[in-house]
Amino acid sequence: MTGYDLKRHFDSTVGHFWTADKAHIYRTLAQLVAEGCAEVETVAGAGAPDRQEHHITAAGRAALAAWLASEPERHVERDPFLARVFFGADLDDDGLRSLFTRRREAVLAQLARFERMRAEAEASDRGARLRLATLDNGIAHLRTELAWLDTVEEEVV
Amino acid sequence: MTGYDLKRHFDSTVGHFWTADKAHIYRTLAQLVAEGCAEVETVAGAGAPDRQEHHITAAGRAALAAWLASEPERHVERDPFLARVFFGADLDDDGLRSLFTRRREAVLAQLARFERMRAEAEASDRGARLRLATLDNGIAHLRTELAWLDTVEEEVV
DNA sequence: CGACCATAGTTGACAAGTCTACTAGGTGAC
DNA sequence: GTCACCTAGTAGACTTGTCAACTATGGTCG
């Protein structure tokens, strides 16, 4: 893929568990090439600028395999919504209700996007099933978030 | 609180949705004081080093209120476990099973910690109920993760 | 014809956050 | 008595990631 392709993939398919800035993508690609994990092939663009297509090398595959088998790095949690709930007592009733309402709307919108993607997806082989499973993970957590919002709004507001 | 107190609170009560490095905490406190959002009071330590107790100022309360009412920043997701699942087709069966098993163990351990905290907690006033709600949010998502793991392991492995 | 949009990529300056090592006093174990 | 650990805080170097601006080319819309 090119950096541009990668950016689009990050924004669409894996965006719910991994985001990336394009400046970061291009710099990381350059680093991967410098490390011998990827190779670049310049392809003349058809009615568009030239594309710098990046291909994984044998060394890159080995590095990927090592990373896949390694212990997942501890995920740094940082949820600005929950942080607001934590200090929610400093909000008035309207502010608190608004906080929950906006959250619900954002979750519902995200859920609708995911379910549309889910409907269009195919679980042809194991790889596709696993990629689909990450989407199902997102959907399951969004539904949990909605159920939790229901309980909290009933109990607290 | 002192930076030291804050570090302990981050690690215990809010760690599941907001982590912090102590170097970062001390620097942020210094910045808050420089901005007039906090004041420092040096308290002689009782059988321990002096404590730099930080107290919120009126300006700090105003900034907190503004932040509470503001739109929650878009949370940057970055989940190293789901990233591995996404590329899981490049793992052999044992590797994939091990990935899920280790995840399940980590989730169960975290869930046990949260449920112990939940049992010890009291929902005395609205503030306490809201803080408890953030814990319940963590518990709900951990249970969802376990249920999802069950489904995935049945379907894919 | 000009405005705007999509493709494709680059760069500098920053902000955010982490790692490591350090100072320094008091407590408890062996 | 010395070693490890807890409290409490500081500081430099570093990595990571973001923002904003920039260069290009070609196509569509009014």
Side-chain angles (χ1 to χ4, degrees), chain A residues 16-17 19 67 70-71 73 75-80 84 91 93 102 126 133 137 141 144-145 148, chain B residues 16-17 19 67 70-71 73 75-80 84 91 93 102 126 133 137 141 144-145 148:
Chain A
H16 76 284
F17 63 84
T19 53
W67 176 81
S70 70
E71 193 60 29
E73 308 78 29
H75 176 200
V76 174
E77 300 286 351
R78 195 145 301 187
D79 188 331
R84 280 170 177 77
L91 273 170
D93 274 19
R102 285 175 295 163
R126 195 171 79 146
N137 183 283
H141 282 289
T144 298
E145 190 72 6
W148 173 84
Chain B
H16 75 285
F17 63 84
T19 53
W67 176 81
S70 70
E71 193 61 28
E73 307 79 28
H75 177 200
V76 175
E77 300 285 352
R78 197 145 298 186
D79 188 331
R84 280 169 176 77
L91 273 169
D93 274 19
R102 284 175 296 163
R126 195 171 79 146
N137 183 283
H141 282 290
T144 298
E145 190 72 6
W148 173 84

Side-chain angles (χ1 to χ4, degrees), chain B residues 40-45 50-53:
Chain B
V40 192
E41 184 194 350
T42 304
V43 176
D50 289 356
R51 295 161 51 77
Q52 307 263 97
E53 286 189 0

Side-chain angles (χ1 to χ4, degrees), chain B residues 6-151:
Chain B
L6 279 165
K7 177 58 181 158
R8 279 191 308 184
H9 272 74
F10 271 104
D11 290 348
S12 56
T13 58
V14 301
H16 75 285
F17 63 84
W18 208 285
T19 53
D21 182 86
K22 89 188 165 111
H24 192 43
I25 288 172
Y26 282 111
R27 278 175 187 144
T28 304
L29 280 175
Q31 200 189 315
L32 286 172
V33 171
E35 286 167 359
C37 290
E39 282 168 346
V40 192
E41 184 194 350
T42 304
V43 176
D50 289 356
R51 295 161 51 77
Q52 307 263 97
E53 286 189 0
H54 291 73
H55 303 276
I56 194 165
T57 62
R61 289 221 166 268
L64 174 62
W67 176 81
L68 280 174
S70 70
E71 193 61 28
E73 307 79 28
R74 181 142 164 52
H75 177 200
V76 175
E77 300 285 352
R78 197 145 298 186
D79 188 331
F81 165 72
L82 281 185
R84 280 169 176 77
V85 175
F86 191 81
F87 292 109
D90 289 349
L91 273 169
D92 56 28
D93 274 19
D94 269 2
L96 199 54
R97 259 194 295 273
S98 158
L99 179 64
F100 287 126
T101 302
R102 284 175 296 163
R103 174 65 166 184
R104 185 186 304 276
E105 279 162 11
V107 170
L108 281 170
Q110 181 88 330
L111 186 57
R113 271 196 298 280
F114 283 4
E115 284 179 336
R116 213 176 318 118
M117 283 166 67
R118 186 67 174 83
E120 287 164 12
E122 268 182 275
S124 42
D125 58 359
R126 195 171 79 146
R129 274 199 299 279
L130 283 164
R131 288 191 293 278
L132 207 57
T134 64
L135 185 57
D136 287 338
N137 183 283
I139 291 173
H141 282 290
L142 287 173
R143 289 193 180 138
T144 298
E145 190 72 6
L146 285 178
W148 173 84
L149 278 167
D150 286 343
T151 327

Side-chain angles (χ1 to χ4, degrees), chain A residues 62-140:
Chain A
L64 175 62
W67 176 81
L68 280 173
S70 70
E71 193 60 29
E73 308 78 29
R74 183 143 161 51
H75 176 200
V76 174
E77 300 286 351
R78 195 145 301 187
D79 188 331
F81 165 73
L82 281 185
R84 280 170 177 77
V85 175
F86 192 81
F87 291 110
D90 290 348
L91 273 170
D92 56 28
D93 274 19
D94 269 1
L96 199 54
R97 258 193 296 272
S98 157
L99 179 64
F100 287 127
T101 302
R102 285 175 295 163
R103 174 66 165 183
R104 185 187 304 276
E105 279 161 12
V107 170
L108 281 170
Q110 181 89 330
L111 186 56
R113 271 196 298 278
F114 283 5
E115 284 179 337
R116 211 175 321 117
M117 283 166 66
R118 184 70 172 83
E120 286 163 12
E122 269 182 274
S124 42
D125 58 358
R126 195 171 79 146
R129 275 200 298 279
L130 283 164
R131 288 192 292 278
L132 207 56
T134 65
L135 186 57
D136 288 338
N137 183 283
I139 291 173

Side-chain angles (χ1 to χ4, degrees), chain A residues 29-72:
Chain A
L29 280 174
Q31 199 189 316
L32 287 172
V33 171
E35 285 168 358
C37 289
E39 282 168 345
V40 193
E41 184 193 349
T42 304
V43 176
D50 289 356
R51 297 160 50 79
Q52 306 262 99
E53 285 190 0
H54 290 74
H55 303 276
I56 194 165
T57 62
R61 289 221 166 268
L64 175 62
W67 176 81
L68 280 173
S70 70
E71 193 60 29

